[in-house]
Amino acid sequence: MADLSNTQIFPPRDLIGYGGQPPAIRWPGNRAVAVSFVVNFEEGAEYTVSGGDDHNEAIYEVVHRLEGRDPCIESHFEYGTRAAWWRVMDLFDRYDAKTTVSACGLAVQRSPLLAQDAVQRGHEVSAHGWRWESHADLDETEERARIAKTVQAIQAATGQPPRGWHTRSASSPNTRRLLVEAGNFLYDSDAYNDDLPYFVPVAGKRHLVLPYAFDTNDMQFQNTQRFGTGGAFAAYVIDAYDWLAREGSSAPRMLSIGLHLRMIGRPGRIGALETILTHIAGSGKAWIATREQIARHWLAQQPDQGFNAAK
């Protein structure tokens, strides 16, 4: 039987959203789709026995669970920071496409060079938790501390606090309230339920949600083996973009494309990102933007005198 003990502490579900009547907002340049590339920077924040954890991360290229230290999985994650970062970021530079680097605080603390490089290239560095972990079972005190540590690590490395937040998998009932309490966040991406940003009330304020997506996401190379080749991934993402571009001729649309260094950054997959960028950038219908840029545009188009946005 399902555990229903915590159902009352979450806000009621909204199954309707905009109800087929999205706000009359246009993206800059009257583009049809706001495209958000999210590069997840988790390497160094995954669970490892060598780092003092009681287990190792389970999602990677092979399935061979070890109870003790696992140098195989450690080196798998290291590929993201040693080799893939530079390949991925150089490709984005070729298209002058700005991304959101969704970074775990511990990953930034261990490899600050990458966060600094992101800022130098004009990308956003947002927060992806302290560790690559769910917040579902964290108590309020521990979660508040982890949010604060994440903000501090990113600010120490880049000179500026993160404006966005995304929890791996499930957040807790307290996450949004704690983000609003922290004061520096413009948005969170702890939702997968729309193709547009939307507002929710949190602690008496209007809080912005920029939904994320798991389908247009290279995690499916490993999480489900849904994509066997880079070409299959590129075709799926392009299909999603083309459909949203059709709809975006009359109403705003947003597409999130999730990437991971150790996945898309492999030589056999990076061509998929090049194919996607060529198609989207060449369509003339996309505004490729960071999530902070998208959030600020949405907020500017829907001002609310009662909303105290982070500056």
Side-chain angles (χ1 to χ4, degrees):
M1 180 177 295
D3 180 8
L4 303 179
S5 60
N6 68 345
T7 55
Q8 297 305 312
I9 56 180
F10 284 95
R13 294 176 65 191
D14 179 1
L15 297 174
I16 303 301
Y18 288 115
Q21 297 181 328
I25 291 176
R26 301 307 300 172
W27 301 119
N30 202 34
R31 299 300 174 95
V33 186
V35 177
S36 166
F37 288 94
V38 177
V39 178
N40 291 278
F41 172 23
E42 301 151 346
E43 289 77 1
E46 78 280 5
Y47 282 100
T48 59
V49 170
S50 65
D53 300 313
D54 62 4
H55 65 282
N56 296 305
E57 177 54 49
I59 299 177
Y60 64 122
E61 294 280 4
V62 299
V63 180
H64 181 201
R65 299 299 300 274
L66 295 181
E67 297 301 321
R69 181 171 185 174
D70 187 345
C72 175
I73 190 171
E74 290 175 16
S75 64
H76 166 76
F77 275 81
E78 290 163 10
Y79 186 87
T81 50
R82 291 168 60 102
W85 173 269
W86 314 103
R87 180 176 293 134
V88 171
M89 290 300 151
D90 287 349
L91 181 56
F92 278 118
D93 281 353
R94 281 174 47 197
Y95 287 84
D96 193 26
K98 304 309 178 185
T99 75
T100 294
V101 177
S102 186
C104 294
L106 183 56
V108 171
Q109 186 179 82
R110 288 178 167 168
S111 304
L113 173 63
L114 272 62
Q116 293 160 2
D117 183 63
V119 171
Q120 290 170 2
R121 295 175 190 254
H123 303 303
E124 172 193 6
V125 178
S126 66
H128 194 22
W130 175 246
R131 302 290 302 272
W132 193 41
E133 63 182 352
S134 169
H135 278 211
D137 297 324
L138 295 181
D139 64 38
E140 182 173 339
T141 300
E142 178 59 30
E143 185 171 22
R144 180 182 286 110
R146 293 193 193 189
I147 291 172
K149 284 200 301 182
T150 305
V151 172
Q152 291 165 5
I154 292 173
Q155 184 154 12
T158 67
Q160 54 198 38
R163 299 304 188 187
W165 176 277
H166 180 218
T167 311
R168 177 188 179 183
S169 302
S171 57
S172 85
N174 301 312
T175 304
R176 282 196 174 133
R177 177 171 54 81
L178 294 176
L179 295 176
V180 170
E181 175 186 293
N184 56 282
F185 291 102
L186 284 172
Y187 70 89
D188 76 65
S189 296
D190 287 346
Y192 313 88
N193 54 3
D194 213 310
D195 297 314
L196 284 177
Y198 60 87
F199 294 104
V200 293
V202 180
K205 297 181 179 180
R206 189 178 69 164
H207 177 69
L208 184 62
V209 178
L210 269 61
Y212 192 50
F214 283 153
D215 65 321
T216 48
N217 193 310
D218 70 359
M219 176 64 77
Q220 304 305 338
F221 279 115
Q222 293 175 20
N223 203 28
T224 63
Q225 291 76 51
R226 181 180 304 162
F227 302 122
T229 66
F233 177 58
Y236 186 91
V237 172
I238 288 171
D239 282 348
Y241 170 76
D242 285 349
W243 192 273
L244 291 176
R246 287 168 57 186
E247 295 181 347
S249 63
S250 59
R253 290 293 183 264
M254 175 182 167
L255 174 64
S256 295
I257 302 172
L259 305 170
H260 298 75
L261 296 172
R262 60 196 180 276
M263 298 174 198
I264 200 64
R266 291 282 176 175
R269 296 174 182 148
I270 191 67
L273 180 56
E274 183 178 45
T275 299
I276 292 166
L277 282 165
T278 299
H279 182 84
I280 290 177
S283 71
K285 299 179 181 180
W287 176 42
I288 301 176
T290 69
R291 293 176 96 74
E292 180 179 352
Q293 289 173 324
I294 294 169
R296 290 193 183 279
H297 183 80
W298 202 262
L299 287 164
Q301 297 299 310
Q302 293 192 287
D304 179 11
Q305 297 301 320
F307 179 62
N308 182 23
K311 301 298 183 183

